[in-house]
């Protein structure tokens, strides 16, 4: 046994000992061909999959380099099945290429050097109708429109295509990043952001121009998107998850690029403005009058000659957008996400239709470099007061969570936490407006909910930033309100059961870099020995697996 | 002997005629030429000329036909008999018995098997004798015979008459046969008669012919035709040649192991199964007391994963095996629950479970170590006490001079202090260090009987007996109890080496360590994963008691879950046990959130008792008041109209009923307590004594 960091398991997972001497170099090697699954304190787990191998191959890695890295950093002999599977996955990549037809601009060529494989593809159930025009034993002629569908079908058949057919040129757009933002702050892309932009753009060659950039929350995915826009310099369609996000994109574009305001359009339920840079929501694109009606807004993809399409939070890309994306393979496509893992398991469609992973920076690296704050998560358990215990005991199951969440004794704990972190701006986040109203009143802190007018919000945010309001009580709007001011202390008094996504969003509120110790605190106040604690355990696991330090304390420890 | 009862000198002298024939002519002769009568010449075309010129068949020119003359009748008879049994092409027990059936009578079998080694069942048939003939000893006895007397004794034992008045065989012939048999040891698949006849060693053809005849008659030699070229062959039985030419087993030498594994697997499995039983009685099948598949699969996930290469050492069905060990040791008992047999922990089992891993193992080892057993009990011994040997001698009692425990101890201490290949050890023990073979002949006989021993060479039987006994001891007493480390050598051989536990069991060490000295460490992660940074079976076994297995060590082997921790708590494991075990095994501090949650889960454990009771219910509160007035504190009022009756004898119950009647309160159901209904198709419920005696 040596002190190498990897333990390669036969189920294709790789455990990485972060305390091992060669951890950093080993992790960098591994991240090229495996996906990080979880990263708790001591041992991180990566998974090798066909997609992760194909991503690596697309980035120029060979099977020998992959197995070599596994062997090099492994503490024990690498299981034979892992080596053989990696070789098998890798040898499948690039056996099929999609190229331009030099003699016919209306057609593309699907080419394989292997006659037997060509035969197999020609007889595949999904592929046969798309590959009916065989012009040579190993070459098929296809329509441009089928490029995406063929790539999808090929990846399902286990032979991902290497697409070097290139892109059409979109409308030209004169845009550049500012060196000083409109709000008069110095601005430049960080090193990892520059590298991500270069990896995607590949100097404008056919090898680049489509793919996914993976960055953790708070690492500046929007900024990377803008960097790509300024590199491509063609009209751009940006698709994102909500109206708030649309406005945040627009705000950021105006703040950090030199593009004029009239060049940017919002395409949402309320505004349908198509400009050289248009920001739209997935919801509006997939809206239809009836269940069996057409998706009328998908026409947006053809409204202009887009040179670049950005898919924000690509792991949430809805199915109809996949369909239309399949027909847009001649456009440059950028996916931005914090994770490649999709709940619906359609990672292969992301690979086929958006493109392979182009950059992936672990959040721990960013934390160490000071780009995001170090967060300590603490769960504070508050007992349920005697009079409420019977009420809780006899309540129906669906009401128990609310009774526990609204435990009135949480108020004192919140006071104690704020007292412990005196002088730090605090966000108190909850789910139930009734509870928040009472808390806001008792704490004499302003409350912001979904019904709070934007003007009042802006005023409160300004006071919060200025420090005249030390604490803000916010409802679920905090999950998505991108304009929410920065804080170093977040206290969660109730949440949506065990929602991991909500937990990540709320934690993300305090991850921006902080002056001084760059330290943020995230408290979850839960009622002990209740169903709320059970749900909190799921969130605890999630945060631990993300690598955050997690503590558990009793309420009396704060009094 | 039937078909080979011919003049072999004449056959050998005529053989050149056969050798001169091409293959087609040989085939035509064997297929077409009849022992009597004529065959038209065209049946032999195109080899007629070759056949005629060989002189084997006579040719009638006038009528263009062939016939077999008396001069060559013996040769053709032998050749045809040989061609019927391609023994050396397919040397199986089936072809051997077919050959014996063709060439020998039942009387021959009786004569051949009359040497006394058949014990009390002296009626050999071709099947039992065939097995014996195929063992090395059958021919080995002839080869080992020193001097004329020994040769004559051998011949007598094979049923040959050697007295001068009625002689079948002379000592000269026996010497020739011995020489020929030694010569044939160089031919594992038989020699062609051409090779033998033309060998300068066999210049005296007449003596050779006699030797062949004697050898065939005693089944030392076998004659057959080679299928490819129809060449007459002669030889020893192939398995005999293999055994006689295999060099005696060498003392095994130290192996270089690339993987090794040490764990008292049986004790850890018993612990896991008993923990499951303590948490909740485990139902077993009524017919064979095996744990039901679903429960078995659940428990199996908590057992320590064994290296795949050790499958020969650790047999399968570990849950049932462990349950069997627990029953034999009185740690669990079978009792009825809802009409079905279930495993319940006994007080002794519960007590055993609370011991440390070392003490749990010591409790198992101690009775074995102190056992007075010097030899395994015989197969008919019905007692179920646990002895030193996990093996039963197949037949009859051990003679007084036999002390297998001493032999076994000496052998293991002599050769197994370092890793040695299991197979080499078994072979060495069976062939070179076999105490049965060292027994005086009169005592050997006591072991040679029985159904199994009857069929074979007793020496093979003794080798197999000693080999089996040692292997079972290695499996059950050493590997199963941590008495041997198991390893995989760089050549792929499974190896073993005695440990301190093994030496303690054999009585040459006064103490042992267990459960605390595994070198590899674990990491408990804040997300409750338990990762093994190396192989540490005893730690794995310890942690399996309160964690859920998700993989194998080294790697992510366990996850601590609320369910797994509560299950351990139910089996009597305390918070300190869990945290203590994790802390001892972990190289890094146990995350505080993990400690906190485990403590929280275990502090939530409450125990409650279920009991049956009888209730007395009245219609209204006024009636209840009358009950109180009549029975006072003999009943306990639970609700305004319901009372709990305390357990009482029938006489007391009758008195209570009378009292109520006298007060005007009549009970709707005052019959005697019902017996529980049988639930197994009308059968009586299972009774503990019924199962565990």
């Amino acid at each position: 046994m040596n002190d190498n960091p990897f333990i390669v398991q036969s189920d294709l997972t790789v455990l990485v000992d972060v305390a091992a001497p060669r951890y950093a170099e080993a992790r960098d090697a591994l991240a090229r061909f495996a996906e990080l699954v979880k990263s708790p304190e001591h041992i991180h787990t990566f998974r090798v999959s066909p997609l992760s191998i194909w991503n690596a191959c697309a980035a120029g890695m060979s099977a020998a380099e992959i197995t070599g890295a596994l062997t090099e950093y492994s503490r024990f002999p690498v299981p034979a099945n892992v080596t053989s599977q990696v070789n098998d996955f890798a040898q499948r990549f690039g056996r099929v290429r999609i190229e331009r037809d030099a003699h016919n601009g209306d057609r593309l060529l699907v080419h394989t050097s292997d006659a037997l494989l060509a035969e197999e593809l020609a007889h595949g159930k999904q592929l046969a109708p798309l590959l009916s025009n065989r012009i040579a034993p190993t070459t098929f002629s296809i329509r441009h429109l089928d490029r995406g569908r063929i790539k999808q079908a090929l990846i399902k058949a286990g032979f991902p295509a290497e697409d070097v057919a290139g892109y059409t040129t979109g409308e030209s757009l004169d845009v550049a990043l500012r060196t000083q933002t409109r709000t008069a702050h110095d601005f430049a892309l960080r090193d990892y952001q520059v590298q991500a932009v270069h990896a995607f753009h590949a100097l404008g060659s056919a090898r680049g121009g489509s793919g996914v950039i993976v960055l953790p929350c708070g690492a500046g995915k929007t900024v990377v998107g803008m960097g790509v826009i300024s590199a491509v310099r063609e009209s751009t369609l940006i698709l994102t998850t909500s109206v708030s996000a649309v406005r945040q994109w627009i705000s950021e574009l105006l703040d950090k690029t030199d593009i004029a305001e009239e060049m940017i359009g919002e395409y949402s339920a309320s505004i349908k403005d198509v400009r050289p840079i248009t920001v739209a929501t997935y919801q509006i694109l997939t809206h239809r009058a009836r269940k069996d009606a057409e998706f009328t807004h998908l026409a947006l993809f053809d409204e202009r000659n887009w040179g670049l399409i950005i898919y924000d939070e690509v792991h949430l890309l809805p199915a109809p957008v996949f369909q239309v994306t399949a027909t847009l393979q001649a456009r440059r496509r950028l996916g931005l996400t914090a994770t490649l893992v999709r709940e619906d398991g359609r990672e292969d469609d992301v690979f086929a239709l958006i493109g392979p992973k182009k950059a992936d920076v672990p959040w721990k690296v960013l934390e160490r470099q000071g780009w995001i704050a170090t967060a300590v998560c603490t769960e504070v358990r508050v007992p349920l007061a005697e009079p409420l215990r019977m009420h809780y005991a006899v309540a129906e199951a669906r009401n128990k969570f609310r009774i526990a969440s609204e435990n009135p004794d949480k108020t004192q704990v919140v006071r104690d936490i704020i007292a412990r972190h005196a002088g730090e701006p605090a966000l108190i986040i909850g789910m139930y407006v009734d509870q928040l109203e009472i808390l806001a009143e008792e704490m004499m802190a302003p409350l912001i909910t979904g019904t709070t007018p934007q003007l009042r919000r802006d005023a409160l945010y300004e006071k919060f930033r200025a420090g005249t309001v030390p604490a803000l009580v916010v409802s679920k709007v905090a999950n998505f309100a991108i304009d929410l001011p920065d804080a170093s202390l977040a206290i969660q008094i109730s949440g949506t059961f065990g929602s991991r996504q909500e937990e990540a969003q709320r934690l993300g509120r305090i991850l921006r870099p902080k002056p001084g110790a760059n330290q943020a605190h995230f408290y979850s106040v839960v009622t002990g020995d209740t169903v709320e604690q059970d749900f909190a355990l799921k969130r605890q696991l999630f945060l631990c697996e993300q690598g955050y330090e997690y503590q558990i304390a009793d309420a009396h420890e704060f009094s | 002997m039937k078909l080979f009862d011919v003049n072999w000198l004449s056959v050998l002298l005529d053989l050149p005629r056969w050798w001169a024939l091409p293959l087609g002519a040989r085939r035509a002769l064997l297929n077409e030429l009849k022992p009597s009568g004529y065959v038209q010449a065209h049946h032999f075309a195109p080899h007629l000329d070759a056949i005629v010129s060989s002189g084997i068949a006579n040719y009638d020119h006038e009528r263009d036909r062939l016939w077999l003359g008396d001069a060559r009748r013996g040769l053709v008879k032998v050749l045809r008999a040989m061609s019927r049994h391609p023994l050396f092409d397919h040397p199986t027990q089936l072809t051997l018995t077919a050959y014996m059936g063709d060439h020998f009578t039942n009387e021959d079998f009786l004569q051949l098997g009359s040497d006394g080694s058949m014990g009390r069942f002296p009626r050999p048939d071709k099947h039992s004798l065939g097995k014996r003939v195929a063992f090395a000893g059958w021919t080995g006895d002839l080869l080992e015979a020193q001097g004329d007397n020994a040769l004559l004794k051998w011949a007598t034992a094979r049923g040959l008459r050697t007295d001068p008045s009625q002689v079948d065989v002379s000592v000269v012939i026996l010497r020739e046969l011995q020489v020929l048999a030694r010569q044939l040891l160089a031919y594992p698949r038989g020699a062609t008669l051409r090779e033998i006849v033309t060998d300068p060693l066999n210049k005296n053809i007449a003596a050779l012919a006699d030797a062949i005849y004697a050898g065939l008659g005693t089944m030392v030699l076998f004659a057959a035709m080679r299928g490819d070229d129809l060449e007459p062959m002669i030889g020893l039985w192939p398995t005999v040649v293999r055994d006689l030419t295999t060099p005696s087993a060498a003392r095994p030498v130290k192996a270089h192991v690339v993987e090794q594994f040490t764990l008292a697997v049986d004790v850890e499995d018993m612990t896991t199964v008993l923990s499951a039983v303590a948490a909740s009685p485990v139902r077993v099948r009524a017919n064979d007391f095996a744990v039901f598949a679903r429960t078995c699969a659940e428990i199996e996930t908590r057992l320590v994963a064994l290296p795949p290469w050790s499958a020969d050492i650790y047999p399968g069905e570990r849950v049932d095996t462990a349950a069997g060990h627990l029953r034999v040791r009185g740690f669990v008992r079978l009792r009825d629950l809802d009409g079905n047999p279930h495993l319940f922990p006994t007080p002794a089992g519960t007590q055993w479970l609370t011991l440390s891993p070392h003490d749990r193992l010591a409790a198992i080892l101690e009775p074995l170590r102190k056992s007075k057993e010097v030899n395994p009990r015989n197969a008919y011994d019905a007692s179920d006490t646990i002895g030193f040997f996990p093996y039963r001698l197949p037949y009859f009692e051990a003679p007084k001079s036999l002390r297998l425990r001493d032999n076994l101890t000496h052998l293991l201490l002599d050769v197994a202090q370092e890793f040695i290949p299991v197979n080499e050890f078994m072979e060495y023990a069976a062939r070179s260090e076999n105490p049965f073979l060292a027994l005086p002949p009169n005592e050997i006989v006591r072991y040679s009987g029985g159904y199994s021993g009857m069929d074979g060479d007793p020496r093979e039987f003794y080798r197999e007996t000693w080999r089996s006994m040692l292997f079972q001891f290695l499996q059950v007493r050493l590997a199963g109890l941590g008495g041997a480390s198991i390893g995989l050598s760089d050549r792929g051989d499974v190896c073993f080496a005695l440990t301190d536990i093994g030496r303690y069991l054999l009585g040459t060490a006064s103490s042992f360590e267990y459960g605390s000295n595994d070198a590899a460490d674990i990491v408990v992660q804040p997300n409750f994963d338990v990762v093994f940074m190396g192989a540490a079976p005893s730690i794995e076994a310890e942690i399996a008691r309160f964690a859920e297995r998700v993989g194998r060590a080294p790697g992510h082997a366990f996850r601590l879950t609320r369910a797994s921790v509560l299950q351990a708590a139910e089996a009597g494991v305390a918070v300190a046990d869990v945290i203590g075990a994790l802390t001892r095994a972990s190289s890094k501090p146990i995350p505080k959130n993990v400690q906190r949650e485990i403590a929280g889960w275990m502090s939530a454990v409450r125990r409650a008792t279920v009991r049956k009771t009888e209730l007395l219910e009245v219609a209204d509160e006024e009636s209840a008041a009358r009950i109180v007035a009549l029975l006072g504190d003999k009943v306990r009022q639970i609700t305004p109209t319901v009372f709990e009756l305390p357990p009482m004898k029938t006489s007391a119950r009758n008195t209570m009923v009378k009292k109520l009647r006298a007060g005007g309160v009549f009970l709707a159901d005052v019959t005697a307590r019902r017996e529980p209904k049988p639930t197994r198709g009308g059968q009586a419920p299972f009774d503990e004594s019924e199962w565990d005696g």
Side-chain angles (χ1 to χ4, degrees), chain A residues 94-114:
Chain A
R95 290 175 68 187
V96 183
R97 279 165 67 94
I98 299 179
E99 307 161 344
R100 280 192 183 281
D101 186 343
H103 306 295
N104 185 351
D106 294 337
R107 309 287 291 184
L108 297 173
L109 299 178
V110 173
H111 177 73
T112 169
S113 54
D114 182 344

Side-chain angles (χ1 to χ4, degrees), chain B residues 290-321:
Chain B
V291 176
F292 276 89
R294 196 169 171 180
T295 313
C296 190
E298 283 171 14
I299 297 172
E300 271 172 355
T301 63
R302 309 187 69 189
L303 301 179
V304 173
L306 303 175
W309 46 263
S310 68
D312 288 344
I313 301 293
Y314 300 108
E317 298 177 343
R318 291 169 60 190
V319 171
D320 287 325
T321 304

Side-chain angles (χ1 to χ4, degrees), chain A residues 1 7 9 15 17 19 38 40-43 75-76 381 533-534 537 540-541 544-545 550 552-554 557, chain B residues 523-529 531-535 552 554-556 559 562 588-589 591 593 596-597 601:
Chain A
M1 193 169 82
I7 296 176
Q9 306 193 115
L15 305 180
D17 181 0
K38 50 190 174 184
E41 192 178 358
H42 305 298
I43 309 288
R75 190 167 295 194
F76 304 101
R381 291 183 182 166
Q533 186 183 316
D534 297 341
L537 178 61
Q540 178 188 158
L541 288 175
C544 287
E545 288 181 354
Y550 199 94
I552 301 173
D554 282 331
E557 294 173 42
Chain B
V523 173
V524 182
Q525 303 237 76
N527 66 339
F528 301 84
D529 287 349
V531 178
F532 276 67
M533 307 307 287
R552 292 187 53 181
H556 179 199
R559 180 173 293 127
R562 183 177 174 155
K588 297 183 170 64
N593 67 312
R596 179 82 183 223
E597 291 289 18
W601 293 333

Side-chain angles (χ1 to χ4, degrees), chain B residues 408-615:
Chain B
L408 176 144
T409 302
H410 175 264
L411 180 63
L412 287 169
L413 292 173
D414 183 35
V415 299
Q417 299 286 5
E418 296 180 305
F419 275 106
I420 51 170
V422 172
N423 286 341
E424 286 179 25
F425 169 76
M426 293 301 164
E427 208 52 29
Y428 171 69
R431 290 180 173 276
S432 306
E433 291 287 335
N434 192 328
F436 291 98
L437 294 180
L439 284 173
N442 61 328
E443 293 198 334
I444 285 186
V445 174
R446 302 179 70 182
Y447 279 94
S448 63
Y451 300 105
S452 170
M454 182 177 103
D455 287 343
D457 182 341
R459 285 165 297 193
E460 294 300 327
F461 175 66
Y462 297 142
R463 284 182 189 134
E464 195 50 44
T465 301
W466 184 228
R467 198 182 276 126
S468 301
M469 207 196 88
L470 288 173
F471 191 71
Q472 281 196 26
F473 193 83
L474 171 64
Q475 270 192 320
V476 181
R477 291 290 184 260
L478 294 180
L481 299 177
S485 292
I486 305 302
L488 182 69
S489 80
D490 51 2
R491 295 188 308 173
D493 294 325
V494 177
C495 304
F496 79 103
L498 274 185
T499 63
D500 281 346
I501 299 169
R503 285 183 274 273
Y504 178 79
L505 176 63
L506 295 174
T508 59
S510 56
S511 64
F512 65 91
E513 285 196 5
Y514 182 68
S516 58
N517 54 351
D518 263 317
D521 64 280
I522 67 164
V523 173
V524 182
Q525 303 237 76
N527 66 339
F528 301 84
D529 287 349
V530 181
V531 178
F532 276 67
M533 307 307 287
S538 67
I539 293 175
E540 213 179 321
E542 181 75 1
I543 288 175
R545 296 177 65 194
F546 51 78
E548 188 181 307
R549 180 177 286 282
V550 292
R552 292 187 53 181
H556 179 199
F558 293 99
R559 180 173 293 127
L560 294 158
T561 64
R562 183 177 174 155
S564 66
V565 169
L566 286 180
Q567 192 173 12
E570 196 172 1
V573 177
V575 180
D577 298 334
V578 176
I579 303 295
L582 292 174
T583 307
R584 280 193 300 278
S586 177
S587 59
K588 297 183 170 64
I590 310 303
K592 288 199 169 66
N593 67 312
V594 173
Q595 295 193 44
R596 179 82 183 223
E597 291 289 18
I598 289 172
W601 293 333
M602 290 190 120
S603 67
V605 171
R606 301 286 183 276
R607 294 188 190 275
T609 309
V610 178
R611 64 182 169 86
K612 291 181 179 172
T613 188
E614 283 185 295
L615 298 178

Side-chain angles (χ1 to χ4, degrees), chain B residues 366-428:
Chain B
E366 214 53 33
L368 306 177
R369 192 171 186 253
K370 290 181 177 168
S371 159
K372 303 286 185 201
E373 219 171 56
V374 292
N375 287 310
R377 283 167 282 168
N378 67 48
Y380 305 118
D381 188 331
S383 67
D384 58 358
T385 53
I386 303 162
F388 181 79
F389 292 97
Y391 182 78
R392 300 290 181 106
L393 284 173
Y395 302 101
F396 306 114
E397 290 179 2
K400 283 181 181 170
S401 62
L402 199 63
R403 299 190 70 81
L404 293 177
R405 185 170 179 169
D406 293 344
N407 299 127
L408 176 144
T409 302
H410 175 264
L411 180 63
L412 287 169
L413 292 173
D414 183 35
V415 299
Q417 299 286 5
E418 296 180 305
F419 275 106
I420 51 170
V422 172
N423 286 341
E424 286 179 25
F425 169 76
M426 293 301 164
E427 208 52 29
Y428 171 69

